[in-house]
Amino acid sequence: MYHLTALVTLLAIAFYFFTCINVARSRDKTGVKVPAMSGHPDFDRAFRIQMNTLEWMPIFLPSLWLFAIYISDAIAAGIGVVWIVGRIVYFIGYSQAAAKRSPGFAIQALAAFALWAGAIGAVVLRMV
């Protein structure tokens, strides 16, 4: 069973949901009305945090699950937690200033790459 990976998946979805709520709150706070996609620097940063998280989900989630299936549920979950921590660091940094987003981005990108590389390596090894 993949209980740990399932839990990390649910936490990642909860974090994404949090970013959605943050965008709605930012709209209210800054006065950016729907359907506008920009208009105030604070809103723009909140929106980009949400969109960047969404952009990474199709990279992260399949890699997470394939790693869990082919290598280890516990290791996949551990790396998945690192990805979530990276997203949180990204959220905090980018919320303050665009220039502060890089450390969180690097953490989550390395975690996603580790999951992807591990999964592809394990799949290829089983094929030969």
Side-chain angles (χ1 to χ4, degrees):
M1 300 305 283
Y2 302 98
H3 300 302
L4 297 173
T5 301
L7 181 59
V8 168
T9 299
L10 293 169
L11 290 173
I13 293 167
F15 178 75
Y16 178 69
F17 185 65
F18 167 77
T19 68
C20 295
I21 292 168
N22 188 57
V23 168
R25 277 190 273 156
S26 184
R27 278 189 185 281
D28 288 341
K29 181 179 163 189
T30 62
V32 176
K33 303 295 182 205
V34 172
M37 304 290 273
S38 65
H40 188 282
D42 291 343
F43 171 78
D44 294 346
R45 288 192 309 273
F47 183 70
R48 280 306 308 147
I49 291 165
Q50 178 199 9
M51 287 297 100
N52 188 264
T53 302
L54 180 62
E55 292 161 4
W56 276 89
M57 295 285 272
I59 297 166
F60 168 67
L61 289 173
S63 299
L64 173 74
W65 278 95
L66 290 168
F67 190 106
I69 292 165
Y70 282 91
I71 297 176
S72 165
D73 176 47
I75 297 170
I79 298 170
V81 167
V82 171
W83 185 85
I84 294 169
V85 168
R87 294 309 311 176
I88 292 167
V89 171
Y90 180 85
F91 174 88
I92 292 167
Y94 207 167
S95 293
Q96 296 170 0
K100 294 184 177 184
R101 72 189 190 280
S102 297
F105 186 87
I107 293 166
Q108 66 88 40
L110 288 171
F113 180 76
L115 290 167
W116 177 82
I120 199 167
V123 169
V124 169
L125 281 175
R126 290 196 184 183
M127 290 175 62
V128 291

